[in-house]
Amino acid sequence: MNEYDSERVASLLASRGFVPASSEMDADVVFVNTCTVRAKPQHKAYSFVGRLKWLKRAKPHARVVVGGCLAQQEGKKLLERFDHVDLVLGTHGIPRLAGLLDEVALGQRLAFTEFTYEFGEHLPGPQGAANPVSRFLTIMQGCDNFCSYCVVPHVRGREISRPSGDVLAEARGLVAGGARELILLGQNVNSYGLKNGDITFPVLLGMISGIEGLLRIRFTTSHPKDLSGELMETMAESDKIARQIHLPVQSGSDNVLGMMNRGYTRDDYLRKIEMLRQKMPDIAITTDLIVGFPGETEEDFADTLSLVEEVNFLSGFSFKYSDRPFTAAARLKDKVPEKVKSRRLAELQELLKTRNTAHQVRLVGEAVEVLVTGESRLGKGQMSGRCEDFRVVNFPGEDHLAGQLVEVMVEEALPNCLRGRMIFRADSLEISS
Ligand code: SAH
Ligand code: SF4
């Protein structure tokens, strides 16, 4: 989501005549996009912003803008703490950026933290895009779920879906500009359109699937409580929607899930996994997990480990719980000591790693369909892409393959990617057997 916001900022600045600088030192405007979902990224954001003091000393005319969740959370306190920051731009401020920069150019220091619920125009150009083949597309903002540990509803505001007409127009624009994969973004995509009476998420997916030239669609994040049978059907019937789902479970213990206010039990979650696998036996399922939520006992943690075993996730992101401002969990008493959280995290990560390695190794000797996203980090003659389950696959190949679907025979499973050789191109021209 933050990456998408960075793209929006880059497009907007490009439309005003700005060009990307090669480093902060060369920049007239430095925009720092921040995340505060956990304590760690917040510390990183603070130290990065702090380090920009030297820039302002060396280049007094340069403007420093802090955007994103930290800006929303702290507002004008950031102006007080850092006298080299010129503009604090809250999470709803991007459509106002150009006007605010004009005011800043006149020497003002400003903090904009209103929730405007305006999405503004997004110019779907390639500026700032991490990859022109695979593009993000935000379909909704904010969240109404108020999971007790989560700062998102407080810093991003209430859930609001973008009108389907705008989403479709942007999707078509992105595909016309070379995108072959779209990743639809929202905190809870399964509730798209329900609040404002627009089309539902499965219907939106169907309409986006109809865009000619688009090869793959993904979406994130799905909230387990709102994952519907209709969505599963839509995925199972589509040849464009990747058979991959990120379904954050957070904990395997009913006690903890209740305290987290997640709105489902362990059994509810397991039933949805079963339904997904009944309809799509090969679906790749990934998750997010939190250890050390206040009051989490050893039994609760053991329930999380057993759920991870039972579901057999392809992979998972796991985090130590950290108190976030404004949240209900921050006010809970029974905090888990840091040492216990670290031990639980290490144990969980070990289990996830073992499972992930087993999944990776099983693919050696199999052919996988890869959407080629561009040159790999190894440089010329080495291409990179993702298979349907989102794993990175590297293989020898030429630049012109970017944007095509190819078939790759997996020869080696490395910790973070698969390596192989191409056997088919999308146009069915056989390369080797
Ligand atoms: N909307 C998504 C999650 C967005 S936040 C969902 O509902 O699943 C991304 C992840 O950060 C969460 O899934 C959670 O695992 C983690 N997270 C959020 N708040 C946290 C906190 N206070 N401490 C530790 N991890 C947290
Ligand atoms: Fe946070 Fe829960 Fe909303 Fe996800 S669903 S953004 S975890 S409040």
Side-chain angles (χ1 to χ4, degrees):
M1 201 141 293
N2 272 29
E3 257 181 70
Y4 180 83
D5 281 349
S6 296
E7 285 184 17
R8 285 172 75 200
V9 168
S11 299
L12 203 140
L13 292 177
S15 74
R16 304 265 301 183
F18 285 88
V19 287
S22 53
S23 72
E24 292 96 321
M25 199 52 209
D26 291 330
D28 296 315
V29 174
V30 177
F31 188 102
V32 187
N33 198 5
T34 60
C35 165
T36 59
V37 76
R38 283 167 287 112
K40 211 162 150 188
Q42 173 165 330
H43 294 322
K44 277 194 188 161
Y46 267 125
S47 64
F48 187 83
V49 173
R51 285 202 304 276
L52 291 174
K53 204 173 184 69
W54 63 265
L55 171 76
K56 202 65 176 214
R57 279 206 198 112
K59 264 181 97 171
H61 75 277
R63 298 289 169 237
V64 175
V65 184
V66 180
C69 299
L70 185 68
Q72 187 66 44
Q73 189 180 295
E74 301 298 319
K76 63 177 187 316
K77 280 193 261 169
L78 285 175
L79 295 178
E80 289 154 17
R81 179 166 172 168
F82 299 109
D83 54 16
H84 58 285
V85 170
D86 300 286
L87 174 61
V88 173
L89 192 76
T91 52
H92 289 221
I94 295 174
R96 308 281 177 96
L97 175 60
L100 290 167
L101 277 177
D102 288 342
E103 290 182 50
V104 165
L106 299 173
Q108 295 209 54
R109 297 178 71 225
L110 302 167
F112 180 90
T113 52
E114 273 171 52
F115 281 149
T116 60
Y117 297 101
E118 295 163 7
F119 195 81
E121 191 190 359
H122 177 49
L123 313 159
Q127 297 88 357
N131 189 292
V133 172
S134 175
R135 299 290 304 263
F136 292 118
L137 170 50
T138 284
I139 63 168
M140 59 211 294
Q141 286 181 301
C143 183
D144 286 348
N145 285 314
F146 288 94
C147 301
S148 64
Y149 52 81
C150 186
V151 75
V152 169
H154 307 279
V155 293
R156 296 249 164 203
R158 294 292 68 71
E159 178 187 296
I160 172 160
S161 297
R162 286 178 74 192
S164 50
D166 291 2
V167 172
L168 281 162
E170 187 169 324
R172 287 191 197 102
L174 288 167
V175 176
R180 294 294 167 261
E181 172 176 86
L182 293 179
I183 306 179
L184 310 185
L185 299 175
Q187 294 300 345
N188 181 9
V189 291
N190 302 329
S191 58
Y192 175 85
L194 298 180
K195 219 163 128 179
N196 55 345
D198 203 332
I199 56 176
T200 62
F201 185 54
V203 176
L204 180 73
L205 280 172
M207 294 177 82
I208 295 178
S209 298
I211 299 175
E212 209 168 315
L214 181 64
L215 300 175
R216 254 192 204 158
I217 307 170
R218 302 182 192 275
F219 51 85
T220 195
T221 301
S222 276
H223 194 303
K225 79 176 162 57
D226 297 319
L227 173 60
S228 65
E230 189 193 350
L231 176 59
M232 297 184 205
E233 294 286 341
T234 307
M235 289 176 78
E237 282 163 14
S238 167
D239 55 356
K240 286 195 183 173
I241 305 171
R243 279 173 159 59
Q244 172 246 327
I245 193 162
H246 186 63
L247 200 62
V249 65
Q250 313 298 357
S251 169
S253 149
D254 282 344
N255 290 336
V256 176
L257 288 171
M259 289 191 290
M260 285 178 163
N261 191 30
R262 285 293 285 176
Y264 54 85
T265 62
R266 175 191 176 99
D267 274 356
D268 295 336
Y269 186 85
L270 290 173
R271 260 199 305 276
K272 297 234 165 148
I273 297 288
E274 203 183 312
M275 282 168 70
L276 279 166
R277 287 192 168 137
Q278 260 166 17
K279 294 193 196 320
M280 293 165 278
D282 53 345
I283 189 167
I285 304 171
T286 57
T287 200
D288 288 349
L289 296 140
I290 297 177
V291 299
F293 184 85
E296 184 189 67
T297 62
E298 288 301 329
E299 287 80 43
D300 294 325
F301 177 59
D303 286 345
T304 295
L305 293 178
S306 73
L307 179 124
V308 169
E309 297 258 12
E310 198 168 336
V311 176
N312 196 11
F313 294 107
L314 171 63
S315 62
F317 294 108
S318 47
F319 310 104
K320 279 194 267 186
Y321 166 82
S322 53
D323 276 343
R324 305 313 301 132
F326 324 118
T327 61
R331 295 191 290 275
L332 293 175
K333 289 278 173 304
D334 198 8
K335 296 278 153 64
V336 175
E338 203 52 38
K339 251 173 112 170
V340 176
K341 284 197 266 185
S342 300
R343 197 243 307 139
R344 288 182 189 166
L345 185 70
E347 209 175 317
L348 176 60
Q349 289 187 336
E350 190 53 43
L351 175 61
L352 288 165
K353 200 170 120 203
T354 312
R355 290 306 175 116
N356 183 248
T357 309
H359 283 294
Q360 299 268 81
V361 168
R362 209 169 301 134
L363 277 184
V364 175
E366 302 260 323
V368 290
E369 193 180 60
V370 176
L371 176 61
V372 187
T373 44
E375 214 169 65
S376 92
R377 286 198 200 124
L378 294 174
K380 244 196 150 26
Q382 294 292 325
M383 299 303 284
S384 187
R386 287 192 187 263
C387 51
E388 202 172 342
D389 65 20
F390 210 49
R391 271 179 282 204
V392 173
V393 184
N394 294 324
F395 61 96
E398 302 301 323
D399 283 5
H400 65 85
L401 293 171
Q404 291 196 37
L405 277 174
V406 302
E407 227 170 291
V408 172
M409 175 63 75
V410 179
E411 294 177 326
E412 197 182 355
L414 300 170
N416 296 317
C417 69
L418 300 166
R419 293 197 57 77
R421 77 189 149 85
M422 186 167 72
I423 47 175
F424 277 110
R425 269 209 297 264
D427 55 12
S428 293
L429 180 69
E430 196 172 341
I431 307 294
S432 70
S433 55

